[in-house]
Amino acid sequence: MNGKEREKVTAIELLAAAKEARKNAYAPYSGFFVGAALLAADGEVYGGCNVESVSFTPTCCAERTALCKAVSEGKREFSAIAVVGGGKDGKTGFCPPCGVCRQMLSEFCGRDFRVILSSGDGEGEEVKVFTLGELLPEAFGTEKPFGSEKKK
């Protein structure tokens, strides 16, 4: 299997893990359920889902849940994240990370970090892959964008 095929399999595996994580989302107020699967550099996958609060401000996105879970277990290097989201009816659509999640990811991930998105579930599903550099061209608070490139 060549590198491109491995990337495709990894994307499919990560999307499946994100869909599984989405099942645990707690979104009684927005009705928008999100799952994420974060791939650490060592191959371990960390799932996360959104967890809402009635006051909304303390709500945590799926991407940050997965990132904090991984970081709290000592991980500091990551290569990709898959994100899926949608309504109560189970239908999903492209759900890119919000600005706060992009900024948090930039703390640990380089410009080439892959963000994998899916348009749906099953037949006819379209997959888009972006780099974090494309989604967040200028990360806040670093000498050069994406501080993880200088942290090891």
Side-chain angles (χ1 to χ4, degrees):
M1 182 180 301
N2 68 34
K4 285 279 189 200
E5 289 171 325
R6 181 67 206 145
E7 276 184 26
K8 187 175 181 182
V9 171
T10 300
I12 292 167
E13 291 169 348
L14 279 178
L15 284 169
K19 290 172 187 175
E20 192 61 30
R22 183 176 181 264
K23 293 176 183 177
N24 292 324
Y26 177 74
Y29 310 108
S30 73
F32 195 76
F33 300 83
V34 182
L38 178 65
L39 178 63
D42 66 1
E44 196 160 342
V45 175
Y46 293 85
C49 63
N50 59 321
V51 181
E52 292 182 350
S53 169
V54 69
S55 64
F56 280 105
T57 301
T59 295
C60 192
C61 297
E63 300 90 314
R64 282 182 284 141
T65 299
L67 180 64
C68 290
K69 201 175 190 182
V71 170
S72 72
E73 293 186 25
K75 304 298 177 179
R76 299 292 188 271
E77 296 181 18
F78 307 98
S79 56
I81 192 168
V83 184
V84 296
K88 291 179 184 178
D89 59 5
K91 293 181 181 175
T92 60
F94 291 116
C95 183
C98 73
V100 173
C101 289
R102 293 174 195 199
Q103 185 64 45
M104 284 291 296
L105 288 166
S106 76
E107 186 73 22
F108 297 93
C109 306
R111 297 183 59 76
D112 60 346
F113 176 80
R114 292 178 300 136
V115 179
I116 303 162
L117 309 174
S118 169
S119 67
D121 198 3
E123 193 173 322
E125 176 179 17
E126 185 183 345
V127 175
K128 291 183 180 180
V129 180
F130 297 93
T131 65
L132 190 55
E134 290 172 317
L135 295 178
L136 185 66
E138 295 293 328
F140 173 78
T142 57
E143 291 176 28
K144 62 179 184 178
F146 303 93
S148 67
E149 293 170 344
K150 61 185 174 186
K151 297 177 195 170
K152 290 286 177 178

